Amino acid sequence: MADAEDIQDAARFHVGVAHRSEPFFLKGCEHLDWGIKNRLANIFDPTSGRTVMLAFDHGYFQGPTSGLERIDLDIVPLARYADTLMLTRGILRTSIPPSYNRGIVLRATGGPSILKELSNEEIAISIEEAIRLNAAAMAVQVYIGGEYETKSIHNLTRLVDAGNRYGIATLAVTAVGREMTRDARYIRLATRICAELGATYVKTYYVPGFETVTAACPVPIVIAGGKKQPELDALTMAYNAVQQGASGVDMGRNIFQADNPAAMIQAVRKVVHDNATPQEAFDLLQQLKG
Ligand code: 5RP
């Protein structure tokens, strides 16, 4: 009898079977601790490895932007289609239901309004506050080549240090000043600097030659939507970006200024998560609008 029990025990313990450990799905993030990986898995979809971030933090420097006049009425209904929300702590506290259970990316720098020199930002949140609000990531504006380049880089590195201490990711947002040429060479420079200085992931603009930007950046990149464009153009930009190595989009105006934002975000999801072509996503958009 004793011998038979031993055999059963050995079977339960699977002696001789190597411990299984799933590789983490995001580029350059394998070395991170469990907490930060768990938060990243609440920003990026582990199945596609990509994200549709809904950005509506514009008010932190430009007040009630067109489409964001009533976050409670116009943005909250879109939250169910987003993998994560990018917003300020003021809007999170006042307008987002705490039952929202995906990742929160908190705007963590600020200062000047559109009436002043925008690049002169400071860190605008403490790490304790980010933890209290259950942030998955903190977003920091980085102005490579701008007047306050060094200051914005210091903002990034301070937030990276604080975030790494507690397992919160840092999203570096490469802001391109008017005096900069928005081309692959500049975007490669800006994104690589952010990654080298510790950003967990980087947000930047889609430019021709984008595959060289993603190839040269050792952490995930998401693209900003930028100014409102015709829907097919915005879907084409998202498609080109993910096909050229982006890990998703962080899109604001092209979603919330669309004539049917709920349909548009679902069309963007089709491109990002299902590799749909721009035309397939556009057809879905028309169908949802109908
Ligand atoms: C400002 C930001 C904004 O949150 C974001 O880029 C705006 O998104 P969109 O350009 O798609 O409206 O980071 O720099």
Side-chain angles (χ1 to χ4, degrees), residues 5 11 17 35 60 89-90 94 113 146 183 204 250 256 262 267 273 282:
E5 275 168 23
V17 179
Y60 90 95
R89 59 170 142 172
T94 57
S113 73
D183 60 11
T204 198
D250 186 15
F256 62 71
H273 290 303
F282 190 70

Side-chain angles (χ1 to χ4, degrees), residues 230-274:
E231 289 147 341
L232 185 57
D233 292 354
L235 293 168
T236 302
M237 179 179 71
Y239 177 82
N240 289 338
V242 295
Q243 296 304 320
Q244 292 167 31
S247 300
V249 299
D250 186 15
M251 203 173 258
R253 287 163 288 178
N254 277 291
I255 292 173
F256 62 71
Q257 291 177 351
D259 58 7
N260 187 331
M264 183 60 181
I265 191 170
Q266 289 177 76
V268 173
R269 289 190 71 80
K270 220 49 202 153
V271 164
V272 170
H273 290 303
D274 301 339

Side-chain angles (χ1 to χ4, degrees), residues 55 57-58 86 107 141 173 203 224-226 250-253:
D57 61 333
H58 308 55
M86 179 174 173
R107 165 56 55 189
Q141 223 67 357
V173 180
K203 166 175 164 173
D250 186 15
M251 203 173 258
R253 287 163 288 178

Side-chain angles (χ1 to χ4, degrees), residues 7-289:
I7 290 163
Q8 275 176 17
D9 269 2
R12 268 200 301 271
F13 286 109
H14 297 284
V15 173
V17 179
H19 180 79
R20 248 187 237 161
S21 156
E22 207 177 278
F24 194 61
F25 65 97
L26 282 177
K27 175 180 178 180
C29 296
E30 190 54 57
H31 64 287
L32 298 173
D33 202 354
W34 194 93
I36 192 166
K37 282 179 176 157
N38 180 255
R39 290 182 182 92
L40 287 166
N42 238 352
I43 295 175
F44 294 86
D45 181 331
T47 306
S48 66
R50 295 180 185 154
T51 184
V52 174
M53 299 177 60
L54 179 61
F56 52 100
D57 61 333
H58 308 55
Y60 90 95
F61 67 101
Q62 57 184 37
T65 307
S66 173
L68 297 180
E69 295 87 347
R70 288 293 300 266
I71 306 263
D72 56 333
L73 301 181
D74 295 328
I75 299 298
V76 170
L78 304 180
R80 57 194 285 244
Y81 303 114
D83 293 302
T84 188
L85 306 179
M86 179 174 173
L87 73 180
T88 59
R89 59 170 142 172
I91 291 298
L92 179 65
R93 279 211 170 91
T94 57
S95 312
I96 305 299
S99 53
Y100 180 77
N101 61 7
R102 296 285 292 153
I104 290 294
V105 179
L106 269 189
R107 165 56 55 189
T109 55
S113 73
I114 36 171
L115 307 178
K116 292 277 175 68
E117 167 52 49
L118 279 181
S119 65
N120 189 13
E121 288 194 351
E122 303 271 356
I123 292 176
I125 197 165
S126 68
I127 190 67
E128 290 80 9
E129 176 78 332
I131 294 166
R132 188 159 36 242
L133 291 170
N134 203 21
M138 298 177 289
V140 45
Q141 223 67 357
V142 176
Y143 294 88
I144 299 300
E147 189 180 346
Y148 294 93
E149 174 183 75
T150 301
K151 184 176 176 185
S152 72
I153 286 287
H154 277 177
N155 291 342
L156 167 67
T157 51
R158 295 294 82 79
L159 286 169
V160 167
D161 287 342
N164 284 351
R165 211 174 302 132
Y166 297 103
I168 297 181
T170 305
L171 168 62
V173 180
T174 65
V176 186
R178 276 188 209 98
E179 64 285 10
M180 300 297 146
T181 310
R182 205 189 277 193
D183 60 11
R185 189 175 174 183
Y186 172 79
I187 298 289
R188 275 197 305 268
L189 173 77
T191 51
R192 180 62 177 261
I193 289 174
C194 292
E196 298 255 357
L197 292 173
T200 322
Y201 72 113
V202 182
K203 166 175 164 173
T204 198
Y205 291 95
Y206 177 78
V207 286
F210 195 70
E211 66 282 3
T212 65
V213 175
T214 54
C217 184
V219 297
I221 290 186
V222 294
I223 59 147
K227 280 196 189 123
K228 172 81 177 69
Q229 318 176 47
E231 289 147 341
L232 185 57
D233 292 354
L235 293 168
T236 302
M237 179 179 71
Y239 177 82
N240 289 338
V242 295
Q243 296 304 320
Q244 292 167 31
S247 300
V249 299
D250 186 15
M251 203 173 258
R253 287 163 288 178
N254 277 291
I255 292 173
F256 62 71
Q257 291 177 351
D259 58 7
N260 187 331
M264 183 60 181
I265 191 170
Q266 289 177 76
V268 173
R269 289 190 71 80
K270 220 49 202 153
V271 164
V272 170
H273 290 303
D274 301 339
N275 290 309
T277 63
Q279 191 57 51
E280 285 166 345
F282 190 70
D283 291 346
L284 172 71
L285 176 71
Q286 300 307 328
Q287 196 186 313
L288 291 170
K289 279 188 190 178

